[in-house]
C-alpha cells in the first residue's frame, strides 16, 4: 500500500518534472526564435555587438602593456569606462556623446581646478566650506539646466559629465597635491577612449543616423502609398489588409525615433550623398506631414469595414471615382517616396496629384443626389460619403508632403531627373531592406513592450 | 573731412554696439522668462535640483573626513560617480537605476573575478589571451542582449554597468594582487552612493512616477471631456477653442511618457493610495484607449470648420441631438476622470453614457431624409453627417475607457462610492495642478525641440 503510494508520488514527480522540462525547452526554443528574429530584422545589430567587443578589448590592452600602464597609471580604467558609455549604435550618437564628454570634461576640470585654487587661498578653515558650497550650487544649477528642452535634446549627457568631473576634480583636489598630473592623465585616457570608440564606430561598417532617418521618412511615405493602393483595389486578401494597416500604424508611432535620429544626424560629418550641413530638420517637417496623412488613412480604414451598409445604387456611382482617387494618390505618394529615396528633385506639380484632383471633381459631381434617389437614410450614406471626404482631405495632405519634399530638394540640392537616377538607385537598393520597426527599435531610448 | 569720416565710423560703431547690447539684453530677458516658466510649470524641478546638490555634497564629504577616506581609499570617487548617474527625477527611476547598478555590479564583479581566476590557472602566456577573449565575448553578447525590447525597457542600464564592471575587474585583476580588497571597497562605496541617492530621493519631497502616471492618465481623460464640452456648446470664444484642441493634441503625444512612467512606477514601493503591486500596466491600456478616442475628437475638429456649408434645414434638425450627445459624452468622461483621480470604483453602466445613447437614437432618426427635402448635395451633408458618425464612434470608445477603468478599479480595489469620496478628494487636490506638458517634459528621455 505504502509502496503503491510511493510509486504514485514518484510517477507524479516524474510527470511534473517532464512537464517542467518540456515547458523549459519550449521557452528556450522561443528565446532562440526571438534572438534569430532580432538578428535577422537588422543584421547591423550583430556587427555592432562585435564592434563594441573589439573596442573594449582594445582599450583593455592599456592595462596589459607595461609602458602604457606606467604612463597612465590607474586612470587607464577611465578609458574602459569612456568606451563603454560613449559607444552607441549610430555614428551620430557616438560623436555626440564623445564630443559632449570631452568638452564637458575639459570645461569642468578647469572650473573645478579654479574652485580648488580659490578655496586654497581662503585658508584651511574656510576651504571645506567653500568647496562644499561650490559643489552644491554647481550641481543644483547644472541639474536645473538639464530640464531645458533644447539642452536635454542634445547636451544632456554633457551636463551630466560636467557635474561629475567638477565634483571629482574640485573635491579630490584637497586630497591630492598632484592634482594637475592626475587631471592630465585622466584627460588623456578619456581622449584616447573617445578616440578609439569613434574610430571603430566610424570605420568598421558605420551606421549613420542620417541614413536611417532618410530611409525611415521615405519608407513611411511608401507605407502610406501601399495602404492607399490596397484601399483602391479593395484588398484582395485579408492578411494583406492587416499588414497594410500595421504599416500605417507604425508611421503614427515613429515620431520619437525620428526626433532622436534628427538630433543624432546633426552630429554626423559628410557621408554618402549627405553633406555636412544637410537640412536634417526638414525631415522633421516631412515626417509630421506624413503622420497627419496617416491619421486620415487610419480613419479611412474604419469606414471600410462598415461600408457594406451603403445602398448599392449610390455606392456604385461613387465607388469608381473613389477607387481612381486612391490609386492616383497612391501613385503620387510612391513618386514622392522614390524621389526622396533617390534624392531626385520631384517634378512639381506631380501629374498623379493632378489626375487625382480630376477624379475628385467627378466624385463631387457624383455626390449630388436628387429626389429620384428615393428615401435615403443619411447614416447609411455616411460611410461612403466620409470615405470620399477623407480622400479629398488626403489629396491636400499629399500636396503638402510633395511641397515639403520639394523644399528639402532645393535646400539639399537634389539632382535633377536624368542626372540623378543612376547614383540614386544604389542608395535605394541599399536602404530598401530595413523595416521601419527595426529602425525604431535600434535608436529609441524608451522602448515599448507589447 | 577725415574727422567727419571718423566721427561717422564712430557713430556707426556706437550704433552697432548699442544694437548688439540691446539684442543681448533681449536674449537675457528671454532666457530669464523661459527659466521662470520652467520653474513655474513644475516647481518640483527646483526641489529636485537642490536634492541632487545635497546628495552630491554629502557624498563629497567622504573625501573630506579622514577616517572614511582611509578606509575606502581612492574608490571614494565611485560614490560620487554613483550618485551623479543614479539620481533621477522620480523615485521609481532612481530605484530602478540603483537596483540595476548594485545587482549588475555584484554579478559582473563575481564573474570577472572568476574569469581572472581561471586565466591565472592557465599560466602566464595563456592568461592575456583568455582574458581578452572573455572580455570580447562578454561585451559582444551583453551588447546584443540590450537590443531585446523587454530588456531595453527595464534593464538597459544594468547591462551597461555589467559590461563596465566585468571589464574593470577581470582586466585590472592581472595588475593588482589585492583584487578582492579593491572589489570589496568599490562595492561598498557604490552601495553607499546608491543608498544616499535613494534615501534623499525617497525622503525629501519624493516625486513618485506612479503619482505622475495616475494624474497623467486621468488628466488626459479630463482633457477629452473638456474638448467635448466645448464642442457641445459650440465654442464661445476662439482662444478657448485653440486651448481645447491643444489639450486634445497633447493626449496624442503622451504615449512615450506614459510608457516610461509605467516602467518606472513598477520599481516603486507602496506609497500614498498605491500598493506595491498596483496594476500599473492597466494604465497603459486606459491610455491607449484614451488616445483612440482623441484621434476621433481631433477629426471632429476639422469638420467643425467646414460645417457652415450644410443646408440649414438639415443642420438644425441634427444640431440638437449632436450637441446633446457631445455634452453627455463629456459628462461621462468627466465622471470617469474624476472616479479615476479619486480612486473610486465607477458606477457601471454610467448614466451619462446611457443618456448619450438615447440622444444617439434621436440622431439616427433625424438622419433619415425623404424626397421632401429636395435636391441634396451629399458633399454638403458630409460634414454634419460625419460629425454624427464620429460622435457615435466616440460613445463606443468612451464605453471601452469606462470598462478599462472599471477593470483597474477591481484589480486595485478602488473604494466604493460613499467610502472613497473624502480621502479621494485630497488626492484630487494634490494632483490637479500639474499640466500634462510638465509631466511629459520631466520624464521623457528624448525631448522634442520645435
Amino acid at each position: 500500500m505504502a509502496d503503491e503510494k510511493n510509486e504514485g508520488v514518484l510517477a507524479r514527480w516524474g510527470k511534473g518534472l517532464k512537464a517542467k522540462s518540456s515547458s523549459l525547452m519550449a521557452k528556450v526554443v522561443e528565446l532562440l526564435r526571438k534572438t534569430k528574429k532580432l538578428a535577422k530584422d537588422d543584421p547591423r545589430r550583430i556587427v555592432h555587438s562585435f564592434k563594441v567587443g573589439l573596442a573594449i578589448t582594445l582599450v583593455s590592452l592599456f592595462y596589459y602593456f607595461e609602458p602604457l600602464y606606467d604612463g597612465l597609471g590607474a586612470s587607464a580604467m577611465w578609458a574602459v569606462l569612456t568606451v563603454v558609455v560613449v559607444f552607441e549604435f549610430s555614428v551620430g550618437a557616438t560623436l555626440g556623446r564623445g564630443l559632449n564628454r570631452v568638452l564637458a570634461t575639459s570645461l569642468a576640470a578647469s572650473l573645478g581646478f579654479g574652485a580648488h585654487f580659490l578655496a586654497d587661498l581662503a585658508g584651511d578653515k574656510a576651504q571645506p566650506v567653500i568647496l562644499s558650497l561650490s559643489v552644491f550650487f554647481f550641481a543644483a544649477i547644472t541639474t536645473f539646466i538639464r530640464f531645458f528642452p533644447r539642452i536635454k535634446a542634445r547636451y544632456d549627457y554633457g551636463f551630466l559629465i560636467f557635474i561629475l568631473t567638477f565634483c571629482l576634480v574640485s573635491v579630490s583636489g584637497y586630497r591630492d597635491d598632484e592634482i594637475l598630473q592626475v587631471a592630465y592623465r585622466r584627460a588623456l585616457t578619456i581622449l584616447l577612449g573617445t578616440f578609439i570608440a569613434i574610430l571603430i564606430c566610424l570605420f568598421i561598417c558605420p551606421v549613420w543616423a542620417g541614413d536611417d532617418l532618410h530611409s525611415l521618412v521615405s519608407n513611411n511615405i511608401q507605407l502610406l502609398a501601399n495602404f492607399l493602393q490596397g484601399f483602391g483595389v479593395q484588398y484582395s486578401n485579408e492578411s494583406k489588409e492587416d499588414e497594410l494597416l500595421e504599416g500605417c500604424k507604425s508611421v503614427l508611432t515613429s515620431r520619437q525615433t525620428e526626433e532622436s535620429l534628427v538630433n543624432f544626424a546633426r552630429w554626423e560629418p559628410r557621408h554618402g550623398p549627405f553633406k555636412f550641413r544637410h537640412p536634417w530638420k526638414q525631415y522633421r517637417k516631412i515626417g509630421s506631414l506624413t503622420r497627419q496623412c496617416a491619421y486620415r488613412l487610419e480613419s479611412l480604414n474604419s469606414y471600410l469595414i462598415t461600408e457594406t451598409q451603403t445602398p448599392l445604387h449610390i455606392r456604385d456611382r461613387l465607388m469608381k471615382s473613389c477607387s481612381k482617387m486612391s490609386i492616383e494618390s497612391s501613385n503620387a505618394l510612391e513618386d514622392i517616396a522614390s524621389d526622396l529615396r533617390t534624392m531626385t528633385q520631384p517634378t512639381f506639380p506631380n501629374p498623379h496629384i493632378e489626375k487625382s484632383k480630376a477624379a475628385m471633381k467627378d466624385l463631387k459631381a457624383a455626390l449630388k443626389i436628387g429626389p429620384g434617389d428615393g428615401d435615403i437614410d443619411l447614416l447609411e450614406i455616411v460611410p461612403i460619403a466620409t470615405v470620399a471626404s477623407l480622400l479629398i482631405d488626403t489629396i491636400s495632405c499629399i500636396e503638402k508632403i510633395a511641397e515639403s519634399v520639394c523644399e528639402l530638394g532645393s535646400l539639399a540640392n537634389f539632382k535633377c531627373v536624368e542626372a540623378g537616377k543612376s547614383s540614386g538607385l544604389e542608395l535605394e537598393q541599399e536602404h530598401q531592406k530595413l523595416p521601419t520597426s527595426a529602425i525604431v527599435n535600434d535608436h529609441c531610448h524608451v522602448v515599448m513592450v507589447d
Side-chain angles (χ1 to χ4, degrees), chain A:
Chain A
M1 192 65 187
D3 259 15
E4 249 173 56
K5 220 179 183 176
N6 259 352
E7 244 172 76
V9 169
L10 276 178
R12 243 180 294 145
W13 272 18
K15 255 187 204 167
L17 211 67
K18 219 173 177 180
K20 258 184 199 161
S21 73
S22 73
S23 94
L24 189 73
M25 269 305 290
K27 269 185 191 163
V28 170
V29 169
E30 175 65 15
L31 186 68
L32 284 179
R33 200 189 55 72
K34 270 189 188 163
T35 310
K36 201 176 155 195
K37 190 177 175 303
L38 210 61
K40 213 174 166 188
D41 274 355
D42 188 354
R44 299 178 307 175
R45 287 171 184 155
I46 297 181
V47 179
H48 172 71
S49 305
F50 280 116
K51 277 159 70 182
V52 173
L54 181 65
I56 293 179
T57 311
L58 272 182
V59 164
S60 300
L61 293 182
F62 277 154
Y63 275 94
Y64 193 70
F65 289 116
E66 295 279 337
L68 271 171
Y69 186 72
D70 284 346
L72 297 172
S75 359
M77 73 167 206
W78 284 96
V80 177
L81 204 146
T82 304
V83 169
V84 171
V85 291
V86 162
F87 210 114
E88 292 269 326
F89 189 68
S90 66
V91 175
T94 308
L95 275 175
R97 284 210 143 207
L99 289 179
N100 262 310
R101 185 167 188 112
V102 169
L103 290 180
T105 305
S106 342
L107 188 67
S110 348
L111 276 177
F113 186 68
H116 179 249
F117 186 72
L118 282 180
D120 254 0
L121 287 183
D124 265 6
K125 285 212 171 156
Q127 198 196 38
V129 180
I130 291 182
L131 282 178
S132 302
L133 281 179
S134 70
V135 164
F136 181 79
F137 283 107
F138 265 99
I141 290 170
T142 315
T143 306
F144 187 77
I145 291 177
R146 288 173 69 199
F147 282 113
F148 280 95
R150 270 165 197 278
I151 299 286
K152 207 174 191 174
R154 295 195 77 196
Y155 306 105
D156 195 49
Y157 183 66
F159 277 87
L160 187 80
I161 293 297
F162 179 87
I163 310 179
L164 179 61
T165 311
F166 180 80
C167 295
L168 287 183
V169 172
S170 70
V171 177
S172 85
Y174 55 85
R175 286 282 138 208
D176 200 335
D177 297 332
E178 309 161 309
I179 182 167
L180 272 180
Q181 208 185 335
V182 168
Y184 166 76
R185 277 185 199 155
R186 207 167 279 175
L188 204 66
T189 42
I190 288 178
L191 262 178
L192 263 169
T194 310
F195 189 68
I196 287 181
I198 290 178
L199 220 65
I200 291 184
C201 190
L202 199 58
F203 289 109
I204 303 182
C205 312
V207 174
W208 299 99
D211 282 7
D212 276 11
L213 176 63
H214 189 83
S215 51
L216 178 69
V217 171
S218 54
N219 270 358
N220 279 351
I221 299 177
Q222 182 65 47
L223 285 173
L224 301 191
N226 297 349
F227 182 87
L228 272 171
Q229 188 74 32
F231 190 79
V233 300
Q234 294 302 306
Y235 297 145
S236 42
N237 62 50
E238 279 241 335
S239 70
K240 185 106 193 272
E241 175 187 337
D242 284 346
E243 195 190 310
L244 292 175
L245 186 63
E246 264 326 295
C248 194
K249 279 190 175 157
S250 77
V251 175
L252 289 176
T253 57
S254 60
R255 179 163 162 270
Q256 202 103 17
T257 311
E258 224 172 78
E259 190 61 38
S260 308
L261 285 175
V262 170
N263 284 330
F264 295 155
R266 288 169 65 195
W267 292 108
E268 291 179 347
R270 179 191 186 111
H271 60 278
F274 306 109
K275 301 223 173 64
F276 174 51
R277 282 180 179 279
H278 192 74
W280 298 115
K281 284 185 183 173
Q282 180 71 15
Y283 286 88
R284 214 181 256 157
K285 192 172 165 194
I286 301 174
S288 115
L289 289 169
T290 310
R291 270 185 294 284
Q292 270 178 36
C293 191
Y295 283 138
R296 285 184 176 75
L297 299 193
E298 216 208 353
S299 332
L300 260 188
N301 192 67
S302 65
Y303 287 101
L304 189 83
I305 300 159
T306 49
E307 204 175 32
T308 38
Q309 300 170 353
T310 317
L312 261 184
H313 65 288
I314 297 181
R315 191 184 162 166
D316 285 349
R317 203 159 66 184
L318 300 178
M319 221 52 214
K320 224 179 117 189
S321 348
C322 276
S323 189
K324 179 118 203 280
M325 264 171 82
S326 56
I327 285 174
E328 288 298 339
S329 304
S330 161
N331 291 341
L333 279 173
E334 196 139 2
D335 272 8
I336 298 172
S338 118
D339 283 342
L340 180 57
R341 217 181 290 127
T342 58
M343 301 189 76
T344 319
Q345 183 66 40
T347 46
F348 194 80
N350 183 299
H352 292 296
I353 293 185
E354 298 306 307
K355 274 185 201 161
S356 62
K357 274 187 180 165
M360 181 173 85
K361 268 181 200 155
D362 292 350
L363 180 68
K364 278 186 176 167
L367 275 168
K368 292 196 196 300
I369 50 172
D373 286 311
D375 277 11
I376 290 173
D377 184 343
L378 270 187
L379 207 57
E380 283 176 359
I381 301 181
V382 164
I384 187 78
T386 309
V387 165
S389 107
L390 279 171
L391 281 175
I392 293 170
D393 269 11
T394 305
I395 292 179
S396 77
C397 254
I398 294 176
E399 266 192 304
K400 278 187 205 154
I401 297 178
E403 266 169 46
S404 65
V405 172
C406 274
E407 221 173 290
L408 175 69
S410 54
L411 283 171
N413 293 323
F414 277 7
K415 297 141 216 154
C416 288
V417 187
E418 276 71 30
K421 279 295 178 199
S422 66
S423 76
L425 273 176
E426 290 161 32
L427 197 69
E428 183 159 13
Q429 280 158 5
E430 199 178 310
H431 287 299
Q432 252 170 351
K433 294 161 287 178
L434 224 55
T436 302
S437 64
I439 298 180
V440 168
N441 188 9
D442 288 341
H443 297 279
C444 209
H445 280 264
V446 183
V447 173
M448 311 295 151
V449 183
D450 33 348

